Amino acid sequence: MIVSRTYQRGVAALLSSAGTAAILFAAASGFAQHMGPDAGAKGSDNAGGIELIDPKTLRVCADPNNLPFSNEKGEGFENKIAEFLAAKLHKELAYAFYPGATGFVRNTLNAHLCDVILGMPQGNDLVQPTNPYYRTTYAMVTRAGSDLDGIQNLDDPRLKEKKGRIGLVANTPPGNVLAKNGMIGLVKPYPLMVDTRVESSSATMIHDLETGDIDVALLWGPIAGYYAKQSSAKLDVTLLPETPGVRMAFRIGFGVRNSDQNWKRELNNLIGQNKAEIEKILADYRVPMLDEAGQPLRKAQ
């Protein structure tokens, strides 16, 4: 399949002037930790405009360096889903790459540089969401064979001995649980806002876990599963249970412009007709998936 770079060049100027902030998770809107475009910075939707830029090409809005979700080399699971959808639609595939930072939606989807974002939570009002194609949650990652073997939740008394050794991305939901339990003083914080083109809080946190600088990494489930699979160390991934007053699990779908009703229906049909194939891609990347009862569809590895 030919992947066009035309629209990458179209956003080159935007990339060069983009700020160094990437909002990885906005808990209030349910935006998944991996990308978090805009977080309140809305752009014009061109209501009533054309639905697709080019009916012969699937144009995807994506982060250029944010595995396990997407990168310019096509190595993320959203890249694989994009390839699968393009084949089903008998279209070529092209990307509009932009860092997952404030202005992402405005400068990609709403600027008509692309027609779909492949990872948006239900409840986010920046775009029109499709039906969800997976549901996932936050997770704890620990070293296998450590004194935390068998840990199931953030109430475990063993955690209270881990001052400065619980890795947490700032302002993500697990922090609310730790705060309720009086355990915020145990946290080693990692920044919420980074430039994904040059750094990753998640990769740094996993490195610190591998080297023993921390004993627990609290991460968004898809990130936790991916890095545990990639690690040379044996790491255990435990999904965090829902806690009263703190939402941990989110349904993730595609995002389209609010005016694109026919396109949304077409994507909903593709999701419904290809559920098993899409879930296979997610499983290959160790994305933890939950059913509607909150039970894992497969054991996180």
Side-chain angles (χ1 to χ4, degrees):
M1 180 178 299
I2 298 173
V3 180
S4 169
R5 296 291 179 179
T6 302
Y7 278 79
Q8 294 176 39
R9 293 192 296 270
V11 296
L14 294 173
L15 288 173
S16 64
S17 62
T20 59
I23 298 175
L24 302 179
F25 191 95
S29 64
F31 203 65
Q33 180 180 319
H34 71 281
M35 195 166 72
D38 283 338
K42 299 181 181 180
S44 171
D45 186 24
N46 274 341
I50 60 170
E51 290 213 355
L52 297 179
I53 300 163
D54 178 356
K56 296 181 180 180
T57 304
L58 175 65
R59 299 196 181 277
V60 175
C61 322
D63 190 304
N65 187 33
N66 197 21
L67 292 176
F69 305 96
S70 64
N71 69 4
E72 288 184 295
K73 296 180 180 178
E75 296 171 328
F77 69 77
E78 289 181 0
N79 295 115
K80 304 308 179 186
I81 290 171
E83 292 168 10
F84 175 79
L85 295 176
K88 284 290 181 179
L89 291 166
H90 305 291
K91 296 175 183 282
E92 292 189 355
L93 176 61
Y95 289 96
F97 285 116
Y98 191 96
T102 299
F104 180 93
V105 173
R106 181 179 63 248
N107 291 315
T108 57
L109 187 70
N110 285 349
H112 287 269
L113 294 178
C114 45
D115 295 315
V116 62
I117 298 170
L118 294 184
M120 294 292 291
Q122 284 192 328
N124 185 287
D125 62 357
L126 294 174
V127 301
Q128 178 180 206
T130 65
N131 294 338
Y133 64 98
Y134 71 107
R135 184 174 183 239
T136 191
T137 188
Y138 271 85
M140 288 186 289
V141 188
T142 55
R143 293 185 302 277
S146 75
D147 61 351
L148 292 175
D149 271 359
I151 189 170
Q152 294 297 311
N153 55 59
L154 296 177
D155 294 331
D156 194 299
R158 289 175 289 176
L159 287 177
K160 295 186 177 179
E161 306 300 321
K162 300 296 182 183
K163 186 173 182 179
R165 298 182 67 84
I166 300 175
L168 173 74
V169 176
N171 296 324
T172 54
N176 296 332
V177 178
L178 294 175
K180 288 176 66 175
N181 294 341
M183 298 166 63
I184 271 299
L186 307 178
V187 163
K188 178 178 180 179
Y190 295 78
L192 174 70
M193 304 176 76
V194 298
D195 184 342
T196 58
R197 293 168 294 175
V198 296
E199 62 181 310
S200 166
S201 293
S202 301
T204 301
M205 193 188 304
I206 290 293
H207 175 266
D208 289 349
L209 178 65
E210 292 169 336
T211 59
D213 289 342
I214 60 173
D215 295 309
V216 183
L218 302 178
L219 291 166
W220 180 231
I223 297 173
Y226 173 77
Y227 279 107
K229 178 183 178 181
Q230 298 295 315
S231 177
S232 58
K234 182 167 175 49
L235 302 179
D236 292 330
V237 177
T238 303
L239 302 187
L240 289 173
E242 291 281 25
T243 302
V246 181
R247 185 179 179 188
M248 292 283 185
F250 297 87
R251 296 175 182 86
I252 308 299
F254 306 148
V256 301
R257 287 176 288 270
N258 290 319
S259 56
D260 293 352
Q261 298 300 317
N262 291 331
W263 178 221
K264 175 186 174 181
R265 283 190 285 271
E266 186 171 5
L267 290 171
N268 280 339
N269 287 335
L270 284 170
I271 291 170
Q273 293 166 4
N274 298 283
K275 179 176 171 59
E277 292 88 345
I278 293 172
E279 288 184 353
K280 173 63 167 57
I281 294 171
L282 296 171
D284 287 345
Y285 281 78
R286 296 291 196 272
V287 174
M289 290 176 278
L290 302 177
D291 63 20
E292 289 306 306
Q295 297 302 308
L297 292 182
R298 57 182 297 278
K299 182 177 175 58
Q301 300 293 330

